[in-house]
Amino acid sequence: MDCNKLAEDRTPELGMEFNSEEDAYKFYNKYAFKIGFSVRKDYLNKDKDGVTTSRRYSCCKESVKRKYEGDMMPKRTQAPTKTGCGAKMVIVLLRGTMKYRVHDLVLEHNHELHIAQCSHMMPSQRKVSETQGFQAEISEDAGLSLKQSHELMGKELDCEEQITNIFWDDAGMLIDYNFFGDVVTFDTTYKTNKEYRPLGVFVGFNQHRQIVIFGAALMYDETIDSFKWVFSTFLEAMCGKRPSTKLTDQDHAIVAALSVVLPEIFHGLCTFHIRHNFMKDLGNHYKENSDLPYMFGACMYEIEEVE
């Protein structure tokens, strides 16, 4: 069975046959992408010649996370990632035809499925080239940590320093933005990486007034072109959904980029930067016990009349 020729809406069924174990996995993983869950290659059985005779593909949330032991709570806890989901597809080898048939099948899930915009971020949908996989194995054999391995591959991929701006977000950020993305703050104050590249962060508030991050960008510089790329990429990652209000620093490059990429939204200045610039530019105009800072704060926060 050629997976590429399958109809987009094809659902697994008992009795379906595949030419190979790999064909079965590709088909089930393609179905998982459409539905919104990640596939895990579970147990397999092989005969004495090394031929796979049966295999199970499960939902990545199949098992249940083991609870902590004793009376002490762990210092750090995470939201449960396993729900005991029973969704699976089991294939067995038919000796007569040497094809694999779907022998056991459960389609129901006991958890929320991923939205379509996040499906490409699920573990079973991420693609790693053969060269990258081979290099990772070599690095592991050489005793390099995962971080060192990534740094090594990054230097080889960018040996001529051609990589400029990098944008990153994940499924959780997309979901948060879908609910709380009306007002977004973008800030490049932080420059803590060793290359001194600006780190731009898209931030908002949730319903509990807690800070949520919608995305981040490691920028080559703070030029108009870089900001235009960052804002355009942010919109693309968020499936074109635009915020109604954008709060930023008073930077001419940011203002120019926003006027091109997001000309219709309200652009406000962050109060943190306004206060910072006030102290930097006007701090020498008042003495001890001066009421100038109070008057300035009142102008920012306590004006209730239009005039």
Side-chain angles (χ1 to χ4, degrees):
M1 178 177 288
D2 186 353
C3 293
N4 295 325
K5 296 180 181 178
L6 290 172
E8 291 294 330
D9 59 349
R10 191 68 182 271
T11 301
E13 299 175 359
L14 287 173
M16 295 181 77
E17 295 184 2
F18 302 90
N19 292 328
S20 67
E21 176 192 350
E22 184 63 21
D23 281 352
Y25 173 74
K26 288 180 179 179
F27 168 76
Y28 193 55
N29 198 35
K30 187 175 182 180
Y31 164 76
F33 177 83
K34 179 188 68 175
I35 297 300
F37 69 96
S38 184
V39 177
R40 186 180 68 205
K41 291 182 178 180
D42 224 330
Y43 78 80
L44 80 162
N45 295 314
K46 293 185 177 183
D47 60 17
K48 61 181 180 179
D49 298 321
V51 178
T52 299
T53 58
S54 64
R55 177 139 214 177
R56 180 173 70 186
Y57 304 110
S58 304
C59 174
C60 66
K61 295 182 179 291
E62 179 261 342
S63 60
V64 179
K65 186 176 180 181
R66 183 175 64 86
K67 295 183 178 181
Y68 62 91
E69 298 178 355
D71 298 328
M72 297 296 294
M73 282 284 289
K75 292 183 179 180
R76 300 181 63 183
T77 60
Q78 297 179 338
T81 58
K82 307 295 182 181
T83 63
C85 181
K88 63 182 177 180
M89 185 177 83
V90 180
I91 57 174
V92 296
L93 177 65
L94 302 177
R95 289 292 184 179
T97 60
M98 295 303 292
K99 292 185 176 183
Y100 291 89
R101 176 179 293 175
V102 178
H103 174 73
D104 192 7
L105 182 66
V106 177
L107 298 180
E108 295 77 18
H109 296 263
N110 68 351
H111 56 87
E112 292 186 5
L113 300 174
H114 291 279
I115 59 176
Q117 296 92 324
C118 303
S119 294
H120 66 284
M121 298 182 180
M122 296 184 297
S124 65
Q125 306 299 336
R126 299 172 187 165
K127 306 298 181 183
V128 178
S129 67
E130 293 184 5
T131 302
Q132 290 172 327
F134 180 69
Q135 188 172 23
E137 292 180 0
I138 294 177
S139 300
E140 183 178 3
D141 294 339
L144 296 179
S145 66
L146 184 61
K147 178 181 178 181
Q148 292 171 327
S149 177
H150 286 173
E151 289 179 349
L152 175 61
M153 286 189 284
K155 290 179 180 178
E156 292 183 352
L157 290 169
D158 196 26
C159 58
E160 297 180 359
E161 296 188 354
Q162 295 180 345
I163 295 177
T164 53
N165 302 321
I166 300 173
F167 179 84
W168 179 84
D169 66 0
D170 59 23
M173 295 176 183
L174 290 175
I175 294 173
D176 284 338
Y177 181 76
N178 187 52
F179 288 107
F180 313 114
D182 291 334
V183 179
V184 177
T185 296
F186 178 75
D187 191 11
T188 58
T189 301
Y190 315 101
K191 298 181 181 180
T192 58
N193 54 87
K194 62 183 179 181
E195 283 80 17
Y196 297 99
R197 298 287 179 87
L199 175 65
V201 184
F202 294 87
V203 179
F205 281 108
N206 63 15
Q207 74 273 30
H208 303 294
R209 292 195 59 80
Q210 297 171 329
I211 293 177
V212 289
I213 298 177
F214 302 135
L218 190 62
M219 303 173 59
Y220 184 80
D221 54 29
E222 294 181 280
T223 60
I224 295 176
D225 287 338
S226 287
F227 284 122
K228 286 169 61 178
W229 181 90
V230 169
F231 297 146
S232 298
T233 303
F234 177 77
L235 283 181
E236 181 180 356
M238 300 304 166
C239 303
K241 180 180 178 180
R242 297 166 179 261
S244 59
T245 300
K246 195 83 165 183
L247 303 176
T248 70
D249 186 11
Q250 188 177 2
D251 185 280
H252 77 280
I254 292 180
V255 174
L258 281 175
S259 66
V260 175
V261 181
L262 294 166
E264 74 285 358
I265 70 169
F266 174 78
H267 177 213
L269 302 180
C270 177
T271 56
F272 168 82
H273 293 290
I274 294 177
R275 294 196 306 269
H276 177 77
N277 291 333
F278 166 76
M279 294 301 300
K280 181 177 67 174
D281 298 329
L282 300 177
N284 60 336
H285 286 276
Y286 69 90
K287 301 179 181 179
E288 187 176 359
N289 298 325
S290 170
D291 60 351
L292 185 58
Y294 171 78
M295 295 171 61
F296 181 76
C299 289
M300 288 184 60
Y301 301 112
E302 298 178 14
I303 297 299
E304 298 181 356
E305 298 178 358
V306 176
E307 292 78 6

